[in-house]
């Protein structure tokens, strides 16, 4: 694709932004819907303990997603920047090295997890009564992760190379296939959590097959090359994607901490109740990631081409979109909290539904800024400012929520306050952490606003 025909560099701002953002949002909405429907099927047809079992595995899975996202976003931003600088050879090297690294790391984890499964389950603080259920689910899912995470990385590069429709179609195929298979495996045939895992596995194979159509496209810029010699491209991609790694792995640590605090105060039912709420946090983030995906490639390519005015316009559009998403979700939970949380559990679990509604009411202010924080961190990554981006990511994802959760939990455990506050009041730490991060992120982005930075180019093409 020549620069003159590249809409990211020359197209009208709003149509170009929506050209990339809408397919991504549609695809990620489909992906989110799959997760939500999985939760509905598991909660209603297998039970609250099964819902808790899935949530207890999230910290472990998040570590893998963190590695994949670091490679995917760091690599695709790097490749996009090289494409914007008219260096397709180096862009293809970044693409190839990222795919090779993803397959290698996920395969290593899969085989290692067989040996260390008991140790992993103890580390995750999984109650003894849930170990068989968790093992049934994870025994199938561990093999799926190789395809799932490689597909995730390929998805980002396919979008970055101007094929957002194909990327979205792949997500739709995977998501709809997962939902359809859940209907048979979980609802009709009663396979329980194993059925949910098999649904995910088969759907991921279908999604990968659709994405592989990209390799037959005559319009693609990126080419896969097995033989690689300059692995420094991969290390630079990892460094630039470190904020996304921190975002994801921090989420896993915080969920682990939340599970620990919830089990100690509310038991397994508390974990199940928060699992319901976490689906809406996941929904808000996935919708924002749809906007962020567009921002990554648009800003990175315009950064490579030296177009600060277009960067500013795309950033403003992304911030308005993410703010609107957060506002809609916050109002929805405030007005319809009982109905929204009640979808995930059967009538026999009415007490857990009521608890989930209370938890949702406690954390609703986080939806107003959590998406904006993601967009600001994404912008810093796309203009190759990994250090401030990483600071924003680690503040919102780990340091602030961990410190505030432990601090508030200890404070409300004091005898003088125990009777005045609910056992879940420590969850106020989550929105508080997002708002403090918001102030820091605004300061960083003002310092690195588009009219003040100088692109780190021209780039020199590198021959492998």
């Amino acid at each position: 694709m020549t620069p003159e025909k590249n809409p990211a560099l020359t197209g009208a701002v709003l149509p170009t932004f929506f050209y990339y953002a809408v397919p991504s949002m549609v695809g990620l909405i489909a992906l989110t819907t799959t997760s939500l429907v999985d939760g509905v099927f598991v909660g209603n047809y297998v039970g609250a303990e099964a819902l808790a079992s899935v949530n207890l595995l999230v910290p472990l899975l998040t570590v893998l997603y963190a590695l994949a996202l670091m490679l995917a976003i760091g690599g695709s931003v790097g490749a996009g920047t090289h494409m914007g600088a008219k260096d397709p050879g180096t862009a293809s090297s970044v693409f190839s090295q990222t795919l090779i690294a993803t397959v290698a790391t996920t395969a290593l984890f899969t085989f290692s997890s067989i040996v260390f499964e008991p140790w992993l389950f103890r580390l995750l603080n999984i109650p003894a009564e849930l170990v068989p259920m968790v093992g049934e689910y994870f025994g199938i899912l561990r093999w799926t992760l190789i395809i799932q995470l490689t597909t995730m990385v390929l998805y980002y590069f396919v979008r970055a190379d101007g094929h957002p429709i194909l990327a979205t179609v792949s997500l739709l195929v995977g998501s709809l296939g997962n939902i359809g298979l859940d209907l048979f495996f979980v609802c009709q045939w009663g396979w329980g959590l194993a059925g949910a895992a098999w649904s995910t596995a088969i759907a991921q194979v279908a999604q990968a097959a659709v994405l592989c159509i990209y390799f037959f496209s005559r319009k693609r810029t990126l080419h896969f090359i097995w033989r690689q010699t300059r692995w420094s491209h991969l290390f630079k991609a990892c460094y630039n994607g470190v904020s996304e790694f921190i975002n994801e792995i921090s989420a896993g640590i915080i969920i682990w901490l939340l599970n620990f605090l919830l089990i100690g105060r509310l038991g397994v039912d508390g974990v199940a109740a928060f699992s319901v709420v976490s689906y809406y946090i996941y929904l808000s983030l996935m919708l924002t990631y749809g906007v962020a995906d567009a921002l990554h490639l648009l800003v990175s390519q315009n950064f490579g081409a030296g177009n600060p005015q277009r960067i500013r316009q795309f950033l403003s559009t992304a911030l308005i979109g993410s703010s609107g998403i957060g506002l809609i979700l916050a109002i929805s939970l405030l007005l319809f909290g009982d109905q929204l949380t009640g979808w995930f559990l059967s009538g026999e679990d009415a007490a857990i539904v009521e608890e989930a509604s209370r938890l949702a009411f406690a954390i609703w202010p986080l939806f107003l800024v959590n998406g904006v924080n993601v967009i600001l961190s994404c912008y810093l990554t796309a203009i190759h400012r990994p250090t401030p981006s990483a600071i924003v990511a680690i503040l919102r994802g780990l340091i602030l929520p961990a410190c505030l959760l432990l601090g508030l939990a200890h404070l409300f455990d004091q005898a003088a306050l125990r009777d005045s506050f609910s056992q879940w009041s420590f969850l106020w730490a989550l929105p508080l952490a997002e708002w403090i991060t918001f102030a820091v992120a605004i300061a960083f982005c003002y310092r690195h606003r588009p009219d003040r930075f100088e692109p780190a180019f021209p780039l020199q093409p590198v021959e492998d």
Side-chain angles (χ1 to χ4, degrees):
M1 183 184 297
T2 62
E4 292 77 12
K5 296 181 180 180
N6 187 347
L9 301 178
T10 59
V13 171
L14 282 178
T16 300
F17 185 85
F18 287 122
Y19 173 74
Y20 286 100
V22 170
S24 179
M25 291 186 70
V26 170
L28 291 176
I29 287 171
L31 189 63
T32 307
T33 301
T34 301
S35 180
L36 295 176
V37 172
D38 269 347
V40 171
F41 285 150
V42 169
N44 281 279
Y45 290 92
V46 189
E49 287 190 349
L51 199 61
S53 297
V54 173
N55 195 64
L56 288 167
L57 273 176
V58 167
L60 175 61
L61 300 178
T62 302
V63 174
L64 299 173
Y65 295 150
L67 288 169
L69 273 177
M70 177 181 68
L71 291 166
I73 295 178
S76 61
V77 166
T81 303
H82 286 290
M83 286 190 287
K86 305 178 185 179
D87 185 9
T90 304
S92 292
S93 292
V94 176
F95 170 62
S96 303
Q97 292 173 13
T98 304
L99 282 182
I100 292 170
T102 304
V103 174
T105 53
T106 51
L108 178 63
F109 166 81
T110 297
F111 288 104
S112 300
S113 69
I114 299 173
V115 178
F116 298 107
E117 182 177 290
W119 180 81
L120 289 173
F121 285 5
R122 285 195 296 271
L123 182 64
L124 292 169
N125 195 34
I126 296 175
E129 66 269 22
L130 296 184
V131 167
M133 193 174 290
V134 175
E136 175 188 30
Y137 182 70
F138 185 58
I140 300 166
L141 192 66
R142 61 160 58 95
W143 301 103
T144 306
L145 290 169
I146 299 175
I147 299 173
Q148 184 176 14
L149 298 182
T150 304
T151 301
M152 177 195 299
V153 172
L154 180 58
Y155 163 84
Y156 276 90
F157 280 98
V158 169
R159 283 179 44 77
D161 197 16
H163 293 70
I165 304 301
L166 176 62
T168 300
V169 170
S170 73
L171 288 183
L172 288 171
V173 168
S175 299
L176 294 176
N178 197 349
I179 293 171
L181 291 169
D182 271 338
L183 285 170
F184 287 100
F185 294 167
V186 179
C187 303
Q188 297 296 322
W189 298 348
W191 287 7
L193 280 179
W198 278 114
S199 298
T200 301
I202 297 171
Q204 286 301 315
V205 171
Q207 182 173 318
V210 173
L211 276 177
C212 284
I213 296 173
Y214 166 77
F215 292 102
F216 300 95
S217 171
R218 295 180 179 179
K219 297 181 180 180
R220 65 190 174 101
T221 302
L222 301 174
H223 297 273
F224 183 80
I225 305 167
W226 276 107
R227 186 175 178 273
Q228 294 292 321
T229 57
R230 293 291 300 274
W231 288 92
S232 59
H233 301 315
L234 178 65
F235 300 135
K236 290 178 181 177
C238 290
Y239 180 58
N240 199 38
V242 71
S243 62
E244 278 67 32
F245 174 81
I246 292 171
N247 271 330
E248 286 297 311
I249 202 167
S250 298
I253 295 171
I254 295 304
I255 292 173
W256 176 85
L257 178 59
L258 279 167
N259 288 337
F260 178 82
L261 294 172
L262 288 165
I263 288 174
R265 287 159 176 76
L266 300 171
V268 173
D269 286 352
V271 176
F274 189 78
S275 297
V276 174
V277 178
S278 69
Y279 279 113
Y280 289 102
I281 298 176
Y282 176 70
L283 173 63
S284 72
L285 291 176
M286 292 303 283
L287 290 172
T288 302
Y289 287 147
V291 178
D293 284 350
L295 190 69
H296 267 131
L297 65 92
L298 292 169
V299 169
S300 64
Q301 293 193 35
N302 280 282
F303 179 72
N307 296 325
Q309 182 177 357
R310 288 178 67 79
I311 292 174
R312 182 169 54 252
Q313 293 169 330
F314 285 129
L315 175 61
S316 300
T317 305
L319 287 173
I320 293 171
S322 61
S323 299
I325 291 168
L327 183 62
I328 291 171
L329 282 170
I331 293 174
S332 298
L333 282 173
L334 284 173
L335 296 180
F336 310 108
D338 291 339
Q339 296 91 326
L340 293 176
T341 55
W343 290 346
F344 290 87
L345 295 164
S346 66
E348 299 175 358
D349 298 310
I352 300 177
V353 172
E354 185 178 349
E355 191 70 33
S357 182
R358 287 196 292 267
L359 298 182
F361 187 79
I363 67 166
W364 70 266
L366 76 81
F367 293 101
L368 299 178
V369 292
N370 68 336
V372 172
N373 287 336
V374 169
I375 294 297
L376 295 177
S377 178
C378 159
Y379 161 73
L380 291 168
T381 296
I383 63 169
H384 292 248
R385 298 296 186 272
T387 300
S389 179
I391 292 172
V392 171
I394 200 169
L395 279 178
R396 74 171 289 270
L398 181 60
I399 293 177
L400 287 175
C403 292
L404 291 170
L405 280 168
L406 291 171
L408 292 182
H410 177 73
L411 178 65
F412 294 140
D413 281 345
Q414 302 302 308
L417 297 175
R418 192 176 301 148
D419 296 334
S420 302
F421 293 91
S422 300
Q423 289 182 311
W424 44 258
S425 296
F426 64 90
L427 290 176
W428 294 341
L430 300 180
L432 184 58
E434 291 285 0
W435 278 93
I436 295 174
T437 302
F438 174 66
V440 175
I442 288 293
F444 274 130
C445 289
Y446 181 78
R447 179 180 178 184
H448 297 290
R449 59 190 185 271
D451 59 352
R452 295 190 63 178
F453 65 72
E454 294 182 3
F457 290 103
L459 291 174
Q460 299 300 319
V462 177
E463 295 183 2
D464 286 43

